[in-house]
Amino acid sequence: MRVAVLGAGQMGTAFGAPLLERSHEVCFWGPEWLDGQRLGAIASGEAHPDLGVRLSASPVETTTNLDEAVEDADICVLAVSSEGIRWVVEEVAAKVLESVPVVVLTKGFAEREGEVLPIGAWVQEVLGKERPVVGVGGPVKASELIHKLPTQTVFASESPGHAEKLRDAFGTSYYLPEVTDDLIGTSICAALKNCYAIAVNLLAGEVESANLRSLAFGVALREMSLFATVAGGQPETVAGAAGAGDLYVTCLTGRNGDFGRLLGEGHPPEKAREIMDGATVEGIGTLPPALMLARSLGIREKLPLLQYLDEVLSVGGTENVRLPLERIVAG
């Protein structure tokens, strides 16, 4: 099959590993100003600038022309940032046959007609219910996937048959997709895990305690489960790889977890970003729309950990915000 991967960042590139292993014809696309260097490395078989390793010893097709990327594609993979997702989805809707499945690696929230939706569900709404859309979640570290280390992931679609076909087409001995019909729940977990990884490590960093870290992790799962189920998702999604698994690995390693640890050590948000060399922290941008959706669902006041994170970011650090342990424990 011919697979168009739209976005040549870390996750989109790493997703190419199982695709190439299964002998699919893969074409990576990205805008020249953003992905030019990455595409050049992929095309020449050199190390990816962000991952530091080669995707393949052989050249792989790349282009900066979206029409060329999606021409005759059997599958489209959305791996662009949440900021660029709207334009790319509109282009896919106009240029790609309705029967072509769309796989969503992008995480976060987007607005449609005044309503905030997790991006996987938002893509389904924009492209229409007839379009096969599969949201991807779970504990997938790009740096491990590209090295072909064992990776569990979740393929979610409102029509499980679409997810099953892609599982059969993409699965390998190390890339291990499971299938669910809970697109809403999987998409919410994929977005919220970045916010909650910041919050868990923030809380644990303020008072170095394994007990407090465990408490924060449990509270995060409780709040994610409430959020997902009220939005129409399934509680078992949060308890599995898409929720608990993804949150665990994000707390252990990654930009959001690192940012939370620095906040917990007392650094203001701006200083924490400076220490991280200005790296993107997805949970910061995800938090405002998450709280907007929580308010519309009537559950914002029932998410004390998420609200605490918002307070810390709003006042510029932990110095003037009391650690609300009693409120967090009570839920």
Side-chain angles (χ1 to χ4, degrees):
M1 289 189 291
R2 178 175 172 81
V3 183
V5 179
L6 308 183
Q10 293 187 33
M11 187 54 67
T13 302
F15 192 68
L19 298 180
L20 293 169
E21 173 118 342
R22 293 299 303 270
S23 299
H24 296 302
E25 180 186 347
V26 182
C27 178
F28 285 91
W29 168 87
E32 175 65 37
W33 65 269
L34 178 65
D35 287 332
Q37 185 182 5
R38 297 163 176 160
L39 293 172
I42 293 170
S44 61
E46 298 175 355
H48 188 277
D50 301 330
L51 294 167
V53 294
R54 295 185 302 175
L55 171 62
S56 171
S58 303
V60 178
E61 183 182 354
T62 67
T63 182
T64 57
N65 185 310
L66 187 60
D67 289 340
E68 291 180 2
V70 301
E71 185 177 7
D72 299 325
D74 298 299
I75 298 169
C76 280
V77 178
L78 302 182
V80 297
S81 68
S82 56
E83 291 81 8
I85 191 72
R86 186 176 298 275
W87 178 81
V88 172
V89 169
E90 290 173 354
E91 291 295 302
V92 168
K95 300 176 185 298
V96 179
L97 293 175
E98 195 174 79
S99 59
V100 173
V102 174
V103 179
V104 185
L105 302 182
T106 307
K107 300 173 175 63
F109 292 95
E111 187 174 331
R112 176 172 168 80
E113 298 178 353
E115 181 182 9
V116 176
L117 295 169
I119 279 179
W122 176 84
V123 171
Q124 183 73 81
E125 289 292 323
V126 172
L127 294 182
K129 296 298 182 180
E130 298 77 17
R131 172 85 66 172
V133 171
V134 176
V136 179
V140 182
K141 296 295 295 180
S143 58
E144 295 190 5
L145 177 57
I146 201 167
H147 281 290
K148 302 184 178 181
L149 297 176
T151 300
Q152 166 133 41
T153 191
V154 178
F155 284 4
S157 175
E158 294 177 353
S159 300
H162 299 316
E164 289 169 359
K165 289 178 181 177
L166 292 180
R167 176 195 60 195
D168 295 342
F170 293 167
T172 69
S173 61
Y174 60 88
Y175 187 67
L176 310 167
E178 66 177 33
V179 169
T180 177
D181 63 357
D182 187 11
L183 180 60
I184 285 282
T186 300
S187 300
I188 284 178
C189 287
L192 288 181
K193 59 98 176 186
N194 287 323
C195 299
Y196 279 111
I198 298 173
V200 168
N201 286 355
L202 158 63
L203 214 63
E206 291 189 58
V207 181
E208 187 53 45
S209 163
N211 287 338
L212 184 55
R213 186 180 299 276
S214 298
L215 167 64
F217 189 85
V219 171
L221 287 181
R222 182 181 70 203
E223 293 189 11
M224 285 175 65
S225 183
L226 173 65
F227 207 128
T229 53
V230 172
Q234 302 165 10
E236 53 265 34
T237 299
V238 182
D246 206 359
L247 177 60
Y248 179 75
V249 76
T250 309
C251 289
L252 284 180
T253 179
R255 297 182 295 264
N256 293 279
D258 291 343
F259 181 69
R261 274 188 287 273
L262 291 169
L263 291 180
E265 291 170 3
H267 298 289
E270 296 79 9
K271 180 62 176 178
R273 294 289 302 281
E274 181 182 329
I275 294 171
M276 296 173 62
D277 295 324
T280 300
V281 181
E282 296 89 342
I284 298 174
T286 300
L287 183 60
L291 290 172
M292 287 177 58
L293 178 55
R295 185 184 296 110
S296 71
L297 294 172
I299 59 171
R300 176 168 175 153
E301 299 306 315
K302 298 180 180 179
L303 306 172
L305 187 54
L306 209 61
Q307 289 192 87
Y308 178 60
L309 173 60
D310 184 49
E311 292 168 11
V312 169
L313 294 178
S314 296
V315 303
T318 60
E319 186 175 353
N320 298 315
V321 183
R322 185 180 69 85
L323 180 64
L325 272 180
E326 299 88 353
R327 182 167 138 230
I328 286 172
V329 171

